[in-house]
Amino acid sequence: MEQHILQTAGGPRIAVLLLPPLPKGAKDVPQNLIHQVENAVHGLRGTVKLIVAMSPWGYAQEQELLKAKGPLPDVLLGSGPGIGLVGTLANGSKTAWVRSFAQGKSVLRIEVLAWPDEISTFKWTEEQNIRMTLFGLTDQYQENPQLLTLMQHMGTD
C-alpha cells in the first residue's frame, strides 16, 4: 500500500493511502489487507490532520473495510464495481465515504469545514464539519481539449 503525505506551504499535512487492487478473483477483502490499512492509519494518526484512502475495490469490499474494528481513514474515496455515493458517514460517522459515479458525468466535492481532532470520540457531522456535494456535468460544462487529449492518451473512455 502506497502512502503519500501532502502539505501546502503553512498548511496541514494530509496523508493519502492508495489501497492496492484485491488479489485476482477475490470476492472478499483478505484480513491481512484490512490489518495493513488499520496499521497504516494507526501509524499516521497524530502526525497528520486528515487521512484519506483511495480504493479501487468496489462497493461491497469497501463496506467490508468500513466494518473493521481498528482505526480507519477519515475519508474513503471509493471506486470500482458498484453504485456511486454522493456521500455517507460510515464507521460510526468517523469515516466520510464517497464513490465515483459511472461514465464520469459528475464531480464529487468534499469540503472539510473543521479538521478532525485526535480525540477518539470525533465524528463527522454533515454541514457542521464536512460537506459532500455532487455536481452533474451537464451541457453547461465545456470539454477542455487539453484534458480530453490527456485522458485519451491514458486509455480511458
Side-chain angles (χ1 to χ4, degrees):
M1 169 179 351
E2 286 185 50
Q3 294 183 24
H4 299 274
I5 304 295
L6 308 176
Q7 183 172 13
T8 57
R13 290 168 36 105
I14 297 171
V16 178
L17 303 175
L18 302 178
L19 305 185
L22 294 176
K24 194 163 185 87
K27 296 198 186 300
D28 298 321
V29 181
Q31 279 301 309
N32 69 328
L33 192 48
I34 289 176
H35 291 310
Q36 285 178 32
V37 173
E38 293 170 331
N39 290 336
V41 170
H42 178 74
L44 290 164
R45 190 72 69 207
T47 66
V48 296
K49 279 285 196 185
L50 190 74
I51 301 172
V52 177
M54 298 176 70
S55 164
W57 295 352
Y59 183 85
Q61 291 76 11
E62 290 163 6
Q63 275 189 318
E64 204 176 320
L65 171 65
L66 291 168
K67 292 177 184 172
K69 301 261 188 243
L72 296 176
D74 302 308
V75 176
L76 177 60
L77 305 176
S79 65
I83 62 170
L85 286 175
V86 172
T88 191
L89 301 178
N91 180 31
S93 295
K94 292 182 178 192
T95 301
W97 181 30
V98 298
R99 287 187 41 80
S100 58
F101 283 77
Q103 300 176 2
K105 295 186 178 181
S106 60
V107 172
L108 289 161
R109 180 170 74 186
I110 300 171
E111 296 173 81
V112 175
L113 306 174
W115 295 105
D117 51 42
E118 296 176 34
I119 301 170
S120 63
T121 58
F122 173 82
K123 293 183 180 196
W124 290 115
T125 304
E126 185 73 36
E127 296 298 325
Q128 287 185 19
N129 54 16
I130 194 164
R131 182 179 300 132
M132 298 173 280
T133 312
L134 176 72
F135 296 95
L137 298 179
T138 61
D139 290 341
Q140 76 185 42
Y141 296 97
Q142 300 295 316
E143 273 185 355
N144 179 320
Q146 292 170 319
L147 190 55
L148 183 59
T149 301
L150 175 66
M151 298 299 273
Q152 287 170 337
H153 283 95
M154 293 176 70
T156 61
D157 293 335

